[in-house]
Amino acid sequence: MSIRVLMFGWEFPPHIAGGLGTASYGLTKGLAKHGVKVMFVMPKAGGDEDQSVVKIINASDVEMMSEYSTLDEYWQNVNFMEIGSNLVPYLDPETFERTVTETIKTGEHSEHIVFRNKFQFSGKYGSNLMEEVARYAMVAGTIAAQQDFDIIHAHDWLTYSAGIVAKKVSGKPLVIHVHATEFDRSGENVNPQVFDIEKRGMEAADRVITVSNLIRNIVINRYGINPDKVVTVHNAVDFQTREDIEVDRGVKEKVVTFLGRITFQKGPEYFIEAANKVLKRYPNVRFVMAGSGDLFNRSVRRVAQLKIATKFHFTGFLRGDDVQKMFSYSDVYVMPSVSEPFGISPLEAMRAGVPTIISKQSGVAEVLKHSIKVDYWDVDALADAIYGLLTYPALGKMAGKEGLDEVNQLKWENAALKVENVYKDVLGM
């Protein structure tokens, strides 16, 4: 008997703003290979989603049954408020900054269109996000009453409320998937509303899946969740096989790359200080910082202050093929994140055969053996690691080769098998 899953997500390729949609897609494809049937509910479907392995339910098409909106006093307590722009789910490097800027630029209006009792979701991360999150949960009650399934799976805080309502309506068990917590997104300045939704979701869930042990510890210690119900399933990465990109670098020096949001969380200042130390010992190198973010101007000023601007380049935000090109230009890739729930970009670098240095404070450090790991704050260790990879070509070559073999093992199919085992455990199969 195959397990039928009612899965709630906020985005699904091709219309994605970040890593959450990519992870949802990878996981559903992996589950399909194990015979698990997934109905994937999203606020607003574009109609061009790949439905070969998953059935997409567009919440904007669902007529709400009004009696479900009074499910629980919980709904009377939902305050629709304007929310801060930092409430964005698990995003890949860079996108956060862009999403927020675009929202401010376009000044998203919070008008909503209601047809009878259908609600047209924008499916974006605009100023009326909290209202959409609450209405999505109400629609979830209707969907749960209409569909046949064995278990509910909700991704990220935006859909936890939907999962809770679906569980109440159907009596079926709930698994929630924590891709990042409010502590990862906002440091210590947590948004109390989001924290509250996350905590309710974790408490109501029969199992909590976290993308790393780093996040698992936060769930247990910061949210007070029983360790017995929190399971780590590391993310994976699916790569399209691509031709090796032939590139003419135009520079003879070695290239060391940082690719990510230029924000506190990603540790750009440690990269700059390490670059300064390396250049004193090994001048035949250029450092590249690819990305944009709130520390961009400060970073440019610091590079000028250190007088290394001729050897240090800022590219701004890169997307798609430009990211692949940047990897093919690079001799070393560095991810000195202060806090990183998982971190896909080192895997992409390794896939391109580039030796990587990552912070011990990242979830991905738990699964990579052939990446050099340093504490994000230890600028000397970071500089030594960069220097070592630049001056000993054999070391870089081996790290690149072993890393490529290793990253090819991190398949969504394997992650999905672990998720299926979580389902079976909850269902007592």
Side-chain angles (χ1 to χ4, degrees):
M1 176 199 116
S2 62
I3 299 172
R4 295 162 304 172
V5 185
L6 180 61
M7 193 175 279
F8 291 99
W10 202 255
E11 52 178 54
F12 198 81
H15 306 284
I16 57 173
L20 185 62
T22 312
S24 300
Y25 183 52
L27 180 62
T28 53
K29 278 205 307 197
L31 286 167
K33 286 189 175 156
H34 299 292
V36 175
K37 292 189 165 51
V38 178
M39 285 178 285
F40 192 91
V41 185
M42 58 193 295
K44 185 183 175 73
D48 49 355
E49 289 81 9
D50 174 5
Q51 297 202 37
S52 56
V53 295
V54 61
K55 178 187 173 193
I56 299 273
I57 297 177
N58 183 0
S60 296
D61 285 345
V62 176
E63 271 195 41
M64 265 193 283
M65 291 191 265
S66 49
E67 62 268 30
Y68 285 115
S69 58
T70 57
L71 239 184
D72 170 17
E73 70 282 2
Y74 174 45
W75 295 116
Q76 289 144 32
N77 300 332
V78 173
N79 299 318
F80 298 135
M81 344 185 149
E82 293 281 305
I83 52 140
S85 59
N86 63 340
L87 297 190
V88 189
Y90 186 56
L91 289 188
D92 66 355
E94 290 315 288
T95 318
F96 173 87
E97 180 65 18
R98 210 167 18 116
T99 312
V100 171
T101 320
E102 279 170 14
T103 305
I104 294 164
K105 251 199 327 247
T106 55
E108 268 182 23
H109 302 301
S110 41
E111 72 246 8
H112 4 277
I113 321 152
V114 181
F115 297 114
R116 292 178 59 205
N117 36 3
K118 283 186 191 175
F119 181 77
Q120 293 301 301
F121 292 91
S122 75
K124 293 204 171 88
Y125 307 106
S127 55
N128 63 327
L129 182 58
M130 277 299 176
E131 181 173 358
E132 293 215 338
V133 164
R135 285 185 185 260
Y136 183 62
M138 291 178 178
V139 174
T142 300
I143 294 169
Q146 291 168 347
Q147 302 292 341
D148 248 354
F149 55 93
D150 305 302
I151 196 162
I152 303 152
H153 187 144
H155 289 280
D156 225 56
W157 70 273
L158 298 153
T159 73
Y160 294 169
S161 300
I164 294 171
V165 174
K167 178 178 176 170
K168 290 199 168 152
V169 168
S170 65
K172 297 288 166 60
L174 168 65
V175 172
I176 69 158
H177 207 132
V178 186
H179 295 266
T181 68
E182 185 54 10
F183 292 98
D184 301 293
R185 286 183 294 265
S186 311
E188 292 301 317
N189 312 318
V190 298
N191 178 303
Q193 254 186 311
V194 177
F195 175 82
D196 191 43
I197 290 175
E198 288 180 330
K199 193 167 160 59
R200 281 174 196 251
M202 292 170 191
E203 288 170 350
D206 297 85
R207 280 293 181 290
V208 177
I209 295 175
T210 54
V211 296
S212 61
N213 290 321
L214 192 80
I215 298 295
R216 181 174 184 268
N217 292 335
I218 292 174
V219 165
I220 293 163
N221 299 321
R222 295 294 190 106
Y223 294 82
I225 304 304
N226 179 349
D228 295 345
K229 73 174 192 181
V230 191
V231 187
T232 295
V233 176
H234 289 105
N235 273 347
V237 67
D238 275 341
F239 296 103
Q240 286 70 41
T241 45
R242 61 169 71 82
E243 302 302 309
D244 280 340
I245 304 172
E246 280 300 312
V247 290
D248 173 22
R249 300 213 286 208
V251 295
K252 290 187 286 294
E253 296 101 324
K254 298 279 180 79
V255 174
V256 178
T257 304
F258 168 106
L259 184 130
R261 299 200 305 277
I262 304 179
T263 60
F264 168 75
Q265 199 188 344
K266 302 289 181 183
E269 59 266 57
Y270 303 103
F271 180 71
I272 294 170
E273 300 305 324
N276 185 40
K277 286 178 184 289
V278 171
L279 282 163
K280 289 188 168 65
R281 291 156 65 189
Y282 189 95
N284 193 27
V285 59
R286 287 176 188 243
F287 289 84
V288 175
M289 189 169 267
S292 57
D294 58 358
L295 295 185
F296 183 85
N297 293 344
R298 195 168 100 182
S299 300
V300 173
R301 281 200 302 273
R302 182 62 183 147
V303 165
Q305 202 180 9
L306 291 167
K307 300 189 169 49
I308 56 172
T310 55
K311 294 285 189 176
F312 203 107
H313 306 272
F314 292 90
T315 67
F317 176 74
L318 298 181
R319 64 181 59 170
D321 286 350
D322 289 338
V323 172
Q324 296 317 317
K325 271 197 196 122
M326 194 62 243
F327 286 137
S328 53
Y329 290 144
S330 305
D331 295 286
V332 178
Y333 176 76
V334 181
M335 185 184 81
S337 297
V338 173
S339 148
E340 186 77 54
F342 188 72
I344 294 278
S345 62
L347 302 182
E348 294 179 319
M350 290 164 85
R351 185 72 177 80
V354 183
T356 60
I357 303 167
I358 58 178
S359 75
K360 291 177 183 172
Q361 288 71 23
S362 60
V364 74
E366 297 165 17
V367 293
L368 293 179
K369 292 186 187 67
H370 297 287
S371 187
I372 297 174
K373 302 177 190 98
V374 297
D375 286 306
Y376 71 84
W377 44 262
D378 194 341
V379 174
D380 290 320
L382 178 53
D384 286 344
I386 295 170
Y387 180 77
L389 287 172
L390 293 174
T391 48
Y392 301 104
L395 180 65
K397 204 167 186 170
M398 192 189 84
K401 185 189 162 304
E402 298 284 355
L404 179 59
D405 293 346
E406 181 171 50
V407 85
N408 282 333
Q409 299 311 305
L410 294 173
K411 295 191 169 72
W412 274 113
E413 201 175 329
N414 304 345
L417 183 60
K418 292 178 183 163
V419 171
E420 186 192 13
N421 288 334
V422 170
Y423 295 160
K424 285 180 171 167
D425 188 32
V426 171
L427 293 166
M429 290 170 77

